[in-house]
Amino acid sequence: PFEKGGKNLLNLEHRNDAIELMWLKGLLAPKNSRPCWAPFAHAILAKHARHAPVVHPDARINTFLQSWSPTVKKLPPHLKRMLRAAKKYSLQWTAPLIPKDLAQQLPIWFHIGATSELNRLNNFYYAACLRDNHRISTVGQMEQAAASNDPQHRKQKECPCTKCEYGRTHYGCQKPFKCQETAQKVISCLPEKWYPDESTTEPTPELRLEQHITNNETLRNGDVALFDNQLSLKGHVENGFRIFTPS
């Protein structure tokens, strides 16, 4: 500050970083509010995915929501600057509590919170069938593929159950029971935080509207406010992006 002996000059480095972070905010905005250039930027990032791990083009959904990374040196200058800003300010998708409906919307392939076992399954033969034939891309879709509650289901190629019959006729799947087993293995790679069980999760009480209004007035006056213990992520999946996260 000038009052403390400073030169009253703009910090250009911080100003430029702030600009890149605002561009990054647009790139990671919800789909219905993204700028028109964002889909093209995601396509460029996907095109230049690193060779290891091997990521099928259909599995490259969002590098910020998955464990694969692009080759930075092959990217256009503006995307390079955005990725450098994301790394510098520790951008991550994170939340103390992830509600089931948002957890189901996350990409399942190269899931950011999965155990190392998923690395083996991402390019497994029947995982490819789930991805290419069944067109599965999210946790929720994989959950449906893994579900098994038909008493007629059999672990055989010509299983007569409705689900396997549908898989053969609509998806061209040769062994639906194998795909179902693979889907169950993939789901098992998700820790509890990333695949919450709503039946065992106790809801936390929310502040009432009048309490929020009172809190705002209290904080403006510099007094003590009522703690809001709502830790669950709300709204769009993209609301989970944070900077200055612990590394």
Side-chain angles (χ1 to χ4, degrees):
F2 181 75
E3 297 78 10
K4 296 184 178 181
K7 296 183 179 181
N8 202 28
L9 295 176
L10 178 67
N11 188 316
L12 292 178
E13 180 182 355
H14 291 171
R15 193 280 306 265
N16 291 341
D17 285 348
I19 292 174
E20 296 306 329
L21 289 174
M22 291 306 295
W23 280 102
L24 198 59
K25 182 180 178 181
L27 179 65
L28 301 177
K31 288 184 178 181
N32 59 357
S33 59
R34 283 178 186 170
C36 59
W37 55 265
F40 299 99
H42 281 290
I44 293 172
L45 291 170
K47 178 182 178 181
H48 296 296
R50 294 179 184 272
H51 295 301
V54 176
V55 186
H56 190 276
D58 289 341
R60 303 171 193 174
I61 300 169
N62 187 331
T63 183
F64 297 96
L65 289 174
Q66 295 175 280
S67 59
W68 61 270
S69 301
T71 303
V72 177
K73 66 180 181 180
K74 294 183 179 180
L75 298 176
H78 60 287
L79 284 179
K80 287 181 181 179
R81 292 194 297 269
M82 277 192 270
L83 290 185
R84 290 193 189 107
K87 183 177 181 180
K88 180 177 180 179
Y89 292 97
S90 301
L91 173 77
Q92 290 187 37
W93 193 96
T94 183
L97 291 176
I98 305 173
K100 186 69 175 284
D101 62 324
L102 292 188
Q104 291 173 327
Q105 296 176 42
L106 289 172
I108 184 62
W109 307 117
F110 299 89
H111 192 287
I112 52 175
T115 63
S116 59
E117 180 64 16
L118 184 60
N119 295 333
R120 183 183 67 84
L121 294 171
N122 279 316
N123 295 309
F124 183 55
Y125 177 80
Y126 293 107
C129 183
L130 288 168
R131 182 192 65 227
D132 302 335
N133 298 331
H134 297 256
R135 308 306 297 174
I136 290 175
S137 61
T138 66
V139 172
Q141 293 170 335
M142 189 65 76
E143 182 182 30
Q144 293 178 357
S148 176
N149 53 10
D150 192 329
Q152 290 187 314
H153 180 67
R154 301 288 183 272
K155 292 184 178 182
Q156 56 189 38
K157 183 177 180 179
E158 301 298 331
C159 172
C161 80
T162 304
K163 189 172 184 178
C164 287
E165 179 63 27
Y166 187 89
R168 287 191 294 270
T169 56
H170 286 76
Y171 299 129
C173 181
Q174 298 299 313
K175 294 182 179 180
F177 81 97
K178 284 289 188 181
C179 284
Q180 186 179 73
E181 290 178 350
T182 302
Q184 292 168 352
K185 291 178 181 178
V186 170
I187 287 293
S188 70
C189 295
L190 302 181
E192 184 178 359
K193 174 183 176 178
W194 297 90
Y195 187 65
D197 184 354
E198 291 182 331
S199 63
T200 60
T201 303
E202 296 183 4
T204 54
E206 297 187 26
L207 293 182
R208 299 188 302 274
L209 177 60
E210 57 269 23
Q211 290 175 318
H212 280 291
I213 296 174
T214 302
N215 265 0
N216 292 335
E217 295 175 353
T218 303
L219 290 172
R220 280 196 295 269
N221 296 330
D223 297 327
V224 178
L226 186 64
F227 176 67
D228 186 359
N229 62 349
Q230 284 296 306
L231 301 176
S232 294
L233 184 65
K234 295 181 180 179
H236 299 281
V237 167
E238 290 80 4
N239 291 344
F241 286 112
R242 300 283 186 273
I243 58 174
F244 303 120
T245 58
S247 57

XYZ file of all heavy atoms in Angstrom, residues 89-137:
408
model
N -2.632 -21.919 -8.798
C -3.583 -21.609 -7.730
C -4.354 -22.837 -7.247
O -5.410 -22.717 -6.648
C -4.533 -20.507 -8.194
C -3.822 -19.177 -8.369
C -3.376 -18.768 -9.618
C -3.543 -18.376 -7.269
C -2.689 -17.565 -9.778
C -2.852 -17.178 -7.412
C -2.429 -16.787 -8.672
O -1.747 -15.601 -8.816
N -3.800 -24.016 -7.531
C -4.303 -25.296 -6.990
C -5.788 -25.495 -7.262
O -6.585 -25.718 -6.344
C -4.037 -25.369 -5.482
O -2.671 -25.263 -5.211
N -6.178 -25.402 -8.525
C -7.570 -25.665 -8.903
C -7.875 -27.146 -8.771
O -7.143 -27.990 -9.290
C -7.820 -25.214 -10.341
C -9.195 -25.595 -10.897
C -10.273 -24.657 -10.351
C -9.197 -25.576 -12.417
N -8.951 -27.470 -8.090
C -9.403 -28.857 -7.958
C -10.917 -28.888 -7.862
O -11.553 -27.901 -7.497
C -8.819 -29.512 -6.707
C -7.334 -29.791 -6.755
C -6.874 -30.590 -5.560
O -7.562 -31.472 -5.066
N -5.691 -30.265 -5.053
N -11.476 -30.047 -8.213
C -12.890 -30.276 -7.957
C -12.972 -30.985 -6.608
O -12.457 -32.088 -6.447
C -13.513 -31.155 -9.041
C -15.007 -31.175 -9.005
C -15.845 -30.403 -9.764
C -15.858 -31.993 -8.193
N -17.152 -30.682 -9.458
C -17.190 -31.655 -8.494
C -15.628 -32.968 -7.230
C -18.290 -32.260 -7.885
C -16.707 -33.570 -6.610
C -18.019 -33.223 -6.941
N -13.604 -30.338 -5.643
C -13.632 -30.914 -4.303
C -14.836 -30.406 -3.534
O -15.393 -29.350 -3.846
C -12.339 -30.573 -3.536
O -12.352 -31.196 -2.249
C -12.189 -29.074 -3.349
N -15.240 -31.171 -2.546
C -16.340 -30.785 -1.654
C -16.256 -31.651 -0.407
O -15.914 -32.842 -0.494
C -17.695 -30.983 -2.334
N -16.547 -31.090 0.781
C -16.537 -31.905 1.999
C -17.523 -33.066 1.916
O -17.226 -34.187 2.306
C -16.935 -30.906 3.093
C -16.582 -29.570 2.544
C -16.822 -29.673 1.069
N -18.725 -32.781 1.391
C -19.751 -33.814 1.210
C -20.294 -33.716 -0.211
O -20.638 -32.628 -0.676
C -20.890 -33.629 2.212
C -20.573 -33.896 3.682
C -21.785 -33.568 4.550
C -20.146 -35.340 3.897
N -20.371 -34.841 -0.884
C -20.863 -34.874 -2.261
C -22.213 -35.586 -2.271
O -22.285 -36.785 -1.985
C -19.886 -35.621 -3.185
C -18.493 -35.005 -3.078
C -20.383 -35.594 -4.621
C -17.426 -35.788 -3.819
N -23.308 -34.884 -2.569
C -24.616 -35.544 -2.611
C -24.678 -36.576 -3.731
O -23.977 -36.455 -4.743
C -25.590 -34.389 -2.847
C -24.766 -33.304 -3.438
C -23.388 -33.452 -2.891
N -25.520 -37.571 -3.541
C -25.583 -38.693 -4.478
C -25.922 -38.230 -5.894
O -25.339 -38.721 -6.866
C -26.641 -39.695 -3.988
C -26.714 -40.999 -4.789
C -25.481 -41.843 -4.566
C -25.590 -43.203 -5.255
N -26.458 -44.142 -4.550
N -26.839 -37.266 -6.038
C -27.254 -36.861 -7.380
C -26.116 -36.210 -8.163
O -26.015 -36.378 -9.376
C -28.466 -35.924 -7.309
C -28.168 -34.638 -6.560
O -27.403 -34.690 -5.587
O -28.700 -33.580 -6.961
N -25.228 -35.480 -7.475
C -24.078 -34.878 -8.160
C -22.970 -35.900 -8.388
O -22.283 -35.857 -9.405
C -23.546 -33.686 -7.368
C -24.453 -32.456 -7.309
C -23.733 -31.283 -6.657
C -24.946 -32.057 -8.691
N -22.799 -36.814 -7.433
C -21.802 -37.879 -7.606
C -22.121 -38.713 -8.842
O -21.218 -39.165 -9.559
C -21.753 -38.764 -6.370
N -23.412 -38.904 -9.122
C -23.824 -39.706 -10.274
C -23.565 -39.003 -11.602
O -23.538 -39.643 -12.639
C -25.309 -40.047 -10.154
C -25.623 -41.024 -9.037
C -27.112 -41.203 -8.832
O -27.905 -40.280 -9.019
N -27.519 -42.399 -8.436
N -23.357 -37.692 -11.576
C -23.133 -36.943 -12.815
C -21.659 -36.876 -13.208
O -21.336 -36.474 -14.326
C -23.675 -35.520 -12.664
C -25.171 -35.434 -12.455
C -25.629 -34.009 -12.215
O -25.172 -33.067 -12.869
N -26.535 -33.821 -11.275
N -20.765 -37.281 -12.318
C -19.335 -37.211 -12.620
C -18.944 -38.270 -13.655
O -19.533 -39.353 -13.699
C -18.518 -37.419 -11.344
C -18.555 -36.286 -10.320
C -17.870 -36.722 -9.035
C -17.884 -35.035 -10.880
N -17.953 -37.987 -14.487
C -17.475 -38.991 -15.449
C -16.942 -40.218 -14.703
O -16.199 -40.073 -13.726
C -16.353 -38.269 -16.198
C -16.620 -36.813 -15.994
C -17.232 -36.693 -14.640
N -17.297 -41.393 -15.178
C -16.856 -42.620 -14.509
C -15.481 -43.059 -15.000
O -14.666 -43.550 -14.215
C -17.881 -43.766 -14.688
C -17.459 -44.992 -13.896
C -18.069 -44.096 -16.166
C -17.374 -44.781 -12.405
N -15.198 -42.848 -16.289
C -13.889 -43.268 -16.808
C -12.813 -42.310 -16.324
O -12.964 -41.098 -16.395
C -13.907 -43.317 -18.339
C -15.036 -44.139 -18.881
C -16.075 -43.706 -19.661
C -15.263 -45.535 -18.671
N -16.921 -44.731 -19.947
C -16.455 -45.883 -19.356
C -14.591 -46.534 -17.970
C -16.980 -47.172 -19.357
C -15.106 -47.817 -17.970
C -16.270 -48.131 -18.653
N -11.714 -42.869 -15.795
C -10.617 -42.090 -15.236
C -11.154 -41.125 -14.170
O -10.808 -39.948 -14.129
C -9.857 -41.346 -16.337
C -9.242 -42.269 -17.350
C -9.952 -42.680 -18.471
C -7.963 -42.762 -17.168
C -9.406 -43.564 -19.393
C -7.401 -43.645 -18.085
C -8.125 -44.048 -19.192
N -12.010 -41.664 -13.323
C -12.658 -40.899 -12.256
C -11.610 -40.281 -11.330
O -10.642 -40.940 -10.931
C -13.583 -41.834 -11.468
C -14.520 -41.150 -10.527
N -14.100 -40.575 -9.352
C -15.863 -40.954 -10.583
C -15.138 -40.066 -8.724
N -16.218 -40.271 -9.445
N -11.795 -39.009 -10.950
C -10.779 -38.304 -10.171
C -10.639 -38.815 -8.740
O -9.619 -38.578 -8.092
C -11.068 -36.791 -10.126
C -12.505 -36.524 -9.664
C -10.807 -36.147 -11.461
C -12.815 -35.065 -9.477
N -11.647 -39.527 -8.237
C -11.566 -39.988 -6.858
C -11.457 -41.491 -6.713
O -11.476 -42.010 -5.590
N -11.335 -42.216 -7.828
C -11.336 -43.679 -7.784
C -10.011 -44.238 -7.272
O -8.975 -43.562 -7.278
C -11.631 -44.243 -9.169
N -10.054 -45.479 -6.826
C -8.841 -46.171 -6.393
C -8.013 -46.565 -7.620
O -8.480 -46.492 -8.757
C -9.196 -47.432 -5.588
O -9.924 -48.344 -6.447
C -10.065 -47.080 -4.388
N -6.795 -46.998 -7.374
C -5.891 -47.367 -8.473
C -6.400 -48.558 -9.276
O -5.978 -48.769 -10.414
C -4.498 -47.667 -7.916
O -4.551 -48.720 -6.962
N -7.317 -49.331 -8.712
C -7.855 -50.490 -9.427
C -8.579 -50.074 -10.701
O -8.627 -50.826 -11.679
C -8.813 -51.262 -8.499
C -9.454 -52.498 -9.117
C -8.461 -53.597 -9.474
O -7.318 -53.545 -8.989
O -8.845 -54.503 -10.244
N -9.130 -48.864 -10.719
C -9.838 -48.409 -11.920
C -8.885 -48.237 -13.093
O -9.304 -48.347 -14.252
C -10.562 -47.090 -11.634
C -11.440 -46.536 -12.768
C -12.544 -47.522 -13.126
C -12.045 -45.190 -12.400
N -7.603 -47.987 -12.822
C -6.630 -47.844 -13.910
C -6.572 -49.103 -14.761
O -6.383 -49.033 -15.981
C -5.238 -47.541 -13.339
C -5.190 -46.205 -12.630
O -5.956 -45.305 -12.941
N -4.290 -46.073 -11.659
N -6.741 -50.241 -14.124
C -6.721 -51.512 -14.860
C -8.013 -51.729 -15.634
O -8.012 -52.333 -16.710
C -6.508 -52.671 -13.868
C -6.395 -54.038 -14.512
C -6.250 -55.118 -13.469
N -7.447 -55.253 -12.677
C -8.511 -55.989 -13.046
N -8.506 -56.626 -14.212
N -9.569 -56.078 -12.279
N -9.112 -51.194 -15.107
C -10.422 -51.446 -15.713
C -10.793 -50.453 -16.812
O -11.658 -50.750 -17.641
C -11.508 -51.424 -14.628
C -11.439 -52.546 -13.587
C -12.433 -52.275 -12.464
C -11.717 -53.897 -14.233
N -10.163 -49.282 -16.821
C -10.551 -48.253 -17.794
C -10.508 -48.740 -19.236
O -11.358 -48.367 -20.053
C -9.638 -47.023 -17.654
C -10.071 -46.118 -16.518
O -11.248 -45.838 -16.339
N -9.097 -45.645 -15.741
N -9.511 -49.555 -19.567
C -9.360 -50.050 -20.936
C -9.543 -51.567 -21.030
O -9.070 -52.193 -21.978
C -7.975 -49.652 -21.483
C -7.838 -48.146 -21.623
O -8.688 -47.492 -22.217
N -6.772 -47.592 -21.062
N -10.222 -52.135 -20.031
C -10.529 -53.564 -20.029
C -11.488 -53.874 -21.182
O -12.261 -53.016 -21.617
C -11.153 -53.925 -18.678
C -11.466 -55.386 -18.496
C -10.495 -56.348 -18.654
C -12.752 -55.801 -18.153
C -10.785 -57.698 -18.474
C -13.048 -57.137 -17.974
C -12.063 -58.089 -18.137
N -11.455 -55.113 -21.689
C -12.255 -55.484 -22.864
C -13.740 -55.177 -22.668
O -14.379 -54.549 -23.524
C -12.062 -56.970 -23.168
C -12.900 -57.458 -24.324
C -12.490 -57.236 -25.641
C -14.108 -58.128 -24.113
C -13.257 -57.672 -26.711
C -14.883 -58.555 -25.174
C -14.457 -58.331 -26.464
O -15.221 -58.753 -27.520
N -14.300 -55.602 -21.551
C -15.738 -55.394 -21.340
C -16.041 -53.950 -20.925
O -17.157 -53.471 -21.106
C -16.282 -56.384 -20.316
C -16.253 -57.808 -20.835
C -15.325 -58.737 -20.354
C -17.124 -58.212 -21.840
C -15.282 -60.027 -20.850
C -17.088 -59.498 -22.349
C -16.162 -60.406 -21.854
O -16.122 -61.678 -22.360
N -15.047 -53.254 -20.394
C -15.225 -51.828 -20.125
C -15.375 -51.076 -21.446
O -16.152 -50.115 -21.546
C -14.043 -51.288 -19.332
N -14.646 -51.508 -22.464
C -14.770 -50.892 -23.788
C -16.176 -51.103 -24.343
O -16.736 -50.214 -24.996
C -13.723 -51.480 -24.736
N -16.757 -52.269 -24.096
C -18.130 -52.533 -24.539
C -19.106 -51.615 -23.810
O -20.030 -51.061 -24.413
C -18.495 -53.993 -24.298
S -20.159 -54.440 -24.894
N -18.886 -51.432 -22.506
C -19.744 -50.528 -21.737
C -19.643 -49.098 -22.268
O -20.636 -48.378 -22.345
C -19.347 -50.562 -20.256
C -19.714 -51.833 -19.482
C -19.001 -51.851 -18.136
C -21.218 -51.931 -19.286
N -18.443 -48.706 -22.634
C -18.223 -47.343 -23.124
C -18.730 -47.152 -24.546
O -19.440 -46.178 -24.835
C -16.725 -47.030 -23.058
C -16.354 -45.624 -23.495
C -14.848 -45.503 -23.681
N -14.384 -46.359 -24.770
C -13.331 -47.174 -24.685
N -12.642 -47.264 -23.561
N -12.984 -47.923 -25.724
N -18.391 -48.078 -25.447
C -18.666 -47.898 -26.872
C -20.053 -48.376 -27.286
O -20.704 -47.740 -28.127
C -17.613 -48.626 -27.709
C -16.202 -48.140 -27.406
O -16.071 -46.993 -26.955
O -15.255 -48.916 -27.618
N -20.509 -49.495 -26.728
C -21.809 -50.048 -27.122
C -22.946 -49.577 -26.220
O -23.993 -49.154 -26.704
C -21.758 -51.577 -27.146
C -20.758 -52.094 -28.174
O -20.499 -51.443 -29.185
N -20.180 -53.256 -27.921
N -22.720 -49.660 -24.908
C -23.747 -49.218 -23.958
C -23.762 -47.705 -23.789
O -24.674 -47.163 -23.171
C -23.516 -49.888 -22.601
C -23.627 -51.375 -22.614
N -24.727 -52.058 -22.129
C -22.773 -52.339 -23.060
C -24.548 -53.363 -22.255
N -23.359 -53.552 -22.826
N -22.737 -47.033 -24.301
C -22.621 -45.572 -24.267
C -22.631 -45.014 -22.846
O -23.279 -44.015 -22.532
C -23.728 -44.911 -25.100
C -23.869 -45.433 -26.521
C -22.573 -45.367 -27.292
N -22.095 -43.990 -27.461
C -20.926 -43.675 -28.007
N -20.089 -44.640 -28.403
N -20.559 -42.418 -28.127
N -21.914 -45.675 -21.964
C -21.844 -45.245 -20.556
C -20.689 -44.267 -20.371
O -19.566 -44.532 -20.801
C -21.674 -46.468 -19.636
C -22.977 -47.280 -19.618
C -21.289 -46.048 -18.217
C -22.879 -48.561 -18.836
N -20.987 -43.150 -19.718
C -19.943 -42.148 -19.480
C -19.963 -41.593 -18.058
O -18.974 -41.002 -17.622
C -20.076 -40.986 -20.472
O -21.331 -40.340 -20.319
